[in-house]
Amino acid sequence: MDPTELGADVQFRTLIEGVKDYAIFMLDTEGRVTTWNAGAQQINGYSAEEVIGTHFSRFYPPEALARNWPAVELAEARRQGRFEDDGWRVRKDGTRFWANVIITAIRDARGELRGFSKITRDLTERKRQEESLRQSEERFRMLVEGVKDYAIFMLDPEGRVTTWNAGAQQIKGYSAEEVIGTHFSRFYPPEALARNWPETVLASARRHGRFEDEGWRVRKDGSKFWASVVVTAIRGSDGELRGFSKITRDLTERKRLEQIESNARQMEEFVAMLAHELRNPLASISNATAALRPEGEVSPEVAWAAGVMERQVGQLVRLVDDLLDVSRITRGKIALECMRVDLADIVTRAVEASRAWIDAREQVLEVRLPAEPIFVEGDLARLTQVVTNLLHNAAKFTPLRGSIWLTLEADGARATLRVRDNGVGISPTLLPQVFDLFTQGDRSLDRAEGGLGIGLTIVRRLIELHGGTARAHSDGPGRGSEFIVELPRPAHPVAPPTRRAPAERPVDRLCVLVVDDNEDSAESMAMLLRRLGHEAHAAFDGASAIEMATRLRPDLVLLDIGMPGMTGHEVARALRSTPGLTETSLFAMTGYGQESDRRLTQEAGFDEHLVKPVSVEVLKRHVADIAARARARGAKEV
């Protein structure tokens, strides 16, 4: 035998015999133990004298023996060349441990079976702790000749490769002839070599006994892969360093998935921040527009300009909301608040929300509702959003003075909503993708209102969350479109709720403090409140807000969250602990509108969470509620 091969063989045996984390031993063709290493004695509890010559089935629990599992394992290894299994095994003292087992068929040059190699590792602790299982599985599994999932090889004390297994060739691309005798630094990228990382790895393993690392490595073809690496110092009985064992696993796919998840998380955070930054100027414009809304007789030009501003601000708000919604929906972050709702009521709400947009195009909307209520289990706000999006889509792709038809009907099991128009229609090629994210139709100059292509995606995702379906139909370009939404109905009919006509309530003059570091936003909201007949003051930072609230004792504080120095949450907690302000209503008025933001404002002591820009109707409703509660308290005191 060549002396080089003999030396490599001795080194390899030294590696096997010195490993204590793995039981590595040989079986003959019948499954009797023929070799036994220190790791086998430590894991299984038997000495070599006790176990050599006995059948390896002694390590299996009764239920595995009852199904003849040891024989199955050998048969599979004999047929396929390799068998891997996780399962319970039994130690000498009768205790059980969870083992990862790899059995490899050993054949001579003629292909004749000479026996089996068996590698066992105790993974009991991993079984108990699944999270540490994943991390440990990535770092600790020793593979020897015939195992292809790991690169396992030996280095001499200087870092030159002395052995090379099939897994090393598969992962790194080099054959044994190409790599043995060369320095292992050839597997590292230039940036790692520039900082002498291979030398650092060996020095740390030499000093501490082992070294673990994750990082980029280079294959023979120059491509990079993300590797998990364990380097262990191998010493003889005299303590002299004989070399190193090096185990490498390709974790590129995991790294790729982690990067995708990180990118998605960053994008969600970016969209949320973008929405916040857009909502601040939108709030100022919306407030100023509402404050300048013409009263009485004005020129047609002024009325037209005010209408344009209101409609365009509304359109911008819709775009911002759609961006946030599609981000949350695609990541599964939408939580429905389901209750029994009347679809006719939802249609009425959606029509009211869309009326200004449709009227501006002088379009005719015909709504057909059944005489009886149609109840479904659903989220009132989200279903209203669905119908509004469909009406908005119909209006956008229908020409001036065109027609839109909305029909609601039901049978015993399902409710069906149809929105039809006589607009531009949908081409046969686009129709199958019309609900896909960012899908657009014709973007020619005469269709400049293409939007972002996310409104219909939101429709389909929300309807699917409700257990329903959404589909589209069109006979082609220029022949209009129809969108059909179907929702399941409850198994048992529900009596319609008793409705009381809202009582007319007088408008009380309230004292309101508006707090926002964006001065335009604060001043425009204060101006709007004064136009509505209330006393309004503006503060631009947390300290001023606390001082003014203590002095003014307002009925309502509209408080921004994202302020420098002292955040809105900190101001809210301070106000809640200030004597004399226990009856003050505290509303968050912010550009942050995700569920996590709402939870934080609730925990800080806010009564309501309003997302900028706040509409005049919403503001009037909340102010009226506060005034009504104040009157009720006054009546009790009298």
Side-chain angles (χ1 to χ4, degrees), residues 291-368:
L292 293 174
R293 181 179 292 166
E295 294 181 355
E297 294 294 328
V298 295
S299 68
E301 291 82 1
V302 172
W304 172 83
V308 168
M309 292 171 66
E310 285 185 334
R311 287 191 297 274
Q312 296 307 313
V313 167
Q315 173 69 351
L316 287 173
V317 172
R318 280 185 56 82
L319 291 175
V320 171
D321 288 341
D322 281 354
L323 279 172
L324 279 177
D325 279 341
V326 78
S327 174
R328 287 194 290 261
I329 289 172
T330 54
R331 286 179 56 83
K333 300 293 186 180
I334 290 289
L336 300 180
E337 297 181 5
C338 290
M339 62 183 72
R340 296 292 174 95
V341 293
D342 182 0
L343 284 179
D345 181 44
I346 286 170
V347 168
T348 301
R349 291 168 182 262
V351 169
E352 290 176 357
S354 308
R355 178 58 67 184
W357 183 265
I358 294 171
D359 289 347
R361 287 159 174 72
E362 302 179 36
Q363 294 164 342
V364 176
L365 172 62
E366 182 178 331
V367 179
R368 298 175 183 175

Side-chain angles (χ1 to χ4, degrees), residues 569 572-573 576 584 586-587 600-608:
H569 295 130
R573 293 186 183 96
R576 284 301 182 211
T584 296
L586 193 56
F587 286 12
L600 288 174
T601 54
Q602 186 177 19
E603 292 169 1
F606 284 93
D607 298 299
E608 295 286 346

